[in-house]
Amino acid sequence: MLPALDASASVYTVRLMPSGAEKMLADSAEMFRSANVEGEILVNDSEEGVFAPTLKKCGYPVHVIPYNAAGLHLLKFWRLCRRNRYDAVHIHVIRGFAGFAIAARLAGVKYVVKTFHSVFEPVGVLRAYRQRVARQIAKMSGVRFVSISKSVQRNETERFGNRTELVWNWADDARFVLAEAGGGAAVRQELEIPRNSFVLLSVGNCHSEGHMAIKNHALVIKAIAMLPNEVKDRIVYLHVGAEMPGFPERKLAESLDVLQYVRFLGSRNDVWRLLCAANEFVMTSRHEGIPISGIEAALAGRHMILTRVPGLVDYADVLPDVAYVDAADPSVLAKSIEERFHLRGVESGNEAIRTAAMNVFSMKVGVFALTKLYRGVV
């Protein structure tokens, strides 16, 4: 039996968007409460973000303390911790995390956890040195470090000499159950997708140049253009996620004469239904931590085509069947899509993929691991 928390745990993040840690918090709110962990969220930005209303509905109070170059936000954070008497603070961002850790400890917070969500590769010797020192200072103040995947954990050790504990990302396995063929047929009808289509699905926000470059959906669009006509004419690519102003991905598809094969659906809250409609889940990122959307696809039992990059290679350690392609060569992805097209079978999810995913990515496993950290359990 774990000891109960007397006060709430505070989670520090930047502007709240429907991705990553924010989705995990929303999905797991009730499970944390069942474990006697009451959470609050601090946004260290000028505005709380579009996902804040969802998190508030889940029961999380949201505090906003804008970042200040002179460090005055740390004083306000220290006062917040003193006033609310938090037992634990969980830091999710990289910017200024050591300052938040020290402020929390000086305010009397017993346990501070810092999660690294990506494979950080700082440019330049000075920046790398600063990040290494920040980690050392935070560790000296008693912070426990967490990595969300083996790739992140390996990078922290090799690049920064920073030992971290592994707590995999998770998704709501009660909501993302095994994909159903019948549900997929209904979604295809709603979206007016021809019955004999081969449906590719990607999920990822591309609302900025940086996000678009990382998600690299241009690789999928270029690969579709390279497919033989008899395959291409059966392809429907569902692109889920916010687009960048000016719609450069649409313009690329139009320039390659494949816009008719791509459906830009924007942000959606029915991803499981889209997974039911898909034949393949594709993720073509240049690097990741370990993305929630891939976990959701695995829990639904969908086969995945992924780029062989840090964060995505971790799926091969967990799942029984993953196809990998080069992140820079669309012809390799085109070949993989063509192979999967000819292997297409039942439309339901693969039970072996879901079972393997449940052993590592279930919400219960992740919440239990974090709850122990919030209580200082070694």
Side-chain angles (χ1 to χ4, degrees):
M1 179 67 71
L2 294 172
L5 287 179
D6 296 323
S8 48
S10 174
V11 178
Y12 157 65
T13 183
V14 291
R15 191 174 304 182
L16 298 167
M17 298 292 289
S19 60
E22 293 94 327
K23 288 177 65 178
M24 291 168 63
L25 284 172
D27 291 341
S28 58
E30 189 57 43
M31 191 172 289
F32 271 120
R33 277 192 289 270
S34 297
N36 295 317
V37 177
E38 293 289 339
E40 300 184 13
I41 297 173
L42 168 65
V43 178
N44 183 221
D45 211 326
S46 57
E47 59 184 69
E48 57 187 20
V50 297
F51 201 59
T54 299
L55 289 166
K56 290 176 182 178
K57 287 180 181 178
C58 293
Y60 294 105
V62 175
H63 308 278
V64 178
I65 299 178
Y67 177 80
N68 179 273
L72 294 178
H73 60 285
L74 296 177
L75 176 60
K76 294 180 180 179
F77 176 64
W78 175 85
R79 289 172 177 164
L80 179 70
C81 291
R82 292 279 290 181
R83 182 174 67 248
N84 291 359
R85 300 174 63 84
Y86 298 124
D87 291 290
V89 165
H90 191 162
I91 304 170
H92 284 281
V93 295
I94 196 69
R95 182 183 65 182
F97 74 87
F100 279 92
I102 293 169
R105 295 290 286 152
L106 289 175
V109 176
K110 297 175 185 176
Y111 308 112
V112 179
V113 178
K114 165 70 184 103
T115 292
F116 294 101
H117 289 272
S118 188
V119 174
F120 292 104
E121 300 177 345
V123 178
V125 175
L126 182 58
R127 183 170 293 180
Y129 175 75
R130 286 175 176 171
Q131 289 202 18
R132 178 182 283 262
V133 170
R135 286 159 170 77
Q136 292 173 347
I137 292 172
K139 180 153 285 188
M140 288 171 61
S141 70
V143 176
R144 292 178 71 173
F145 292 127
V146 168
S147 291
I148 63 169
S149 69
K150 290 182 179 178
S151 288
V152 174
Q153 188 178 48
R154 189 179 308 114
N155 183 70
E156 286 296 314
T157 300
E158 295 176 356
R159 193 177 297 275
F160 302 108
N162 184 30
R163 293 186 178 276
T164 63
E165 301 174 56
L166 179 61
V167 179
W168 293 95
N169 273 353
W170 68 77
D172 187 350
D173 47 90
R175 185 156 54 95
F176 285 88
V177 296
L178 198 68
E180 300 172 355
V187 175
R188 288 184 178 212
Q189 187 173 7
E190 289 175 20
L191 297 176
E192 298 182 348
I193 297 173
R195 181 172 296 182
N196 65 346
S197 297
F198 189 75
V199 179
L200 307 173
L201 172 66
S202 71
V203 180
N205 290 316
C206 303
H207 54 283
S208 69
E209 285 189 16
H211 285 85
M212 191 175 70
I214 291 172
K215 295 304 179 184
N216 193 26
H217 293 141
L219 191 75
V220 185
I221 296 169
K222 292 175 182 177
I224 292 172
M226 295 179 175
L227 290 169
N229 287 335
E230 63 271 18
V231 177
K232 185 194 307 179
D233 289 340
R234 301 268 295 276
I235 293 291
V236 174
Y237 170 35
L238 304 180
H239 177 296
V240 175
E243 293 180 72
M244 186 177 167
F247 307 108
E249 290 173 315
R250 295 188 188 216
K251 291 177 179 177
L252 173 64
E254 186 174 16
S255 70
L256 295 175
D257 197 27
V258 294
L259 186 59
Q260 64 269 35
Y261 305 112
V262 186
R263 307 282 184 88
F264 291 93
L265 302 182
S267 296
R268 304 273 297 212
N269 58 10
D270 61 344
V271 172
W272 179 78
R273 296 180 72 243
L274 296 174
L275 283 165
C276 291
N279 295 95
E280 291 284 317
F281 181 83
V282 295
M283 182 161 279
T284 51
S285 305
R286 289 190 168 93
H287 68 82
E288 290 280 356
I290 191 160
I292 305 297
S293 57
I295 295 174
E296 292 171 344
L299 289 170
R302 274 290 166 246
H303 185 271
M304 300 193 288
I305 303 175
L306 310 174
T307 43
R308 192 178 297 279
V309 297
L312 297 187
V313 295
D314 294 57
Y315 286 112
D317 294 333
V318 178
L319 304 177
D321 184 17
V322 182
Y324 281 102
V325 299
D326 192 300
D329 190 345
S331 67
V332 178
L333 176 56
K335 182 178 179 181
S336 184
I337 292 172
E338 186 177 358
E339 289 174 353
R340 295 302 302 179
F341 173 86
H342 291 299
L343 288 173
R344 62 185 298 175
V346 296
E347 306 292 344
S348 299
N350 184 302
E351 292 187 11
I353 293 175
R354 175 175 171 81
T355 299
M358 283 291 293
N359 291 334
V360 176
F361 302 130
S362 76
M363 190 160 63
K364 184 177 180 180
V365 172
V367 169
F368 182 74
L370 287 185
T371 300
K372 289 200 300 181
L373 289 172
Y374 295 161
R375 293 182 168 95
V377 178
V378 178

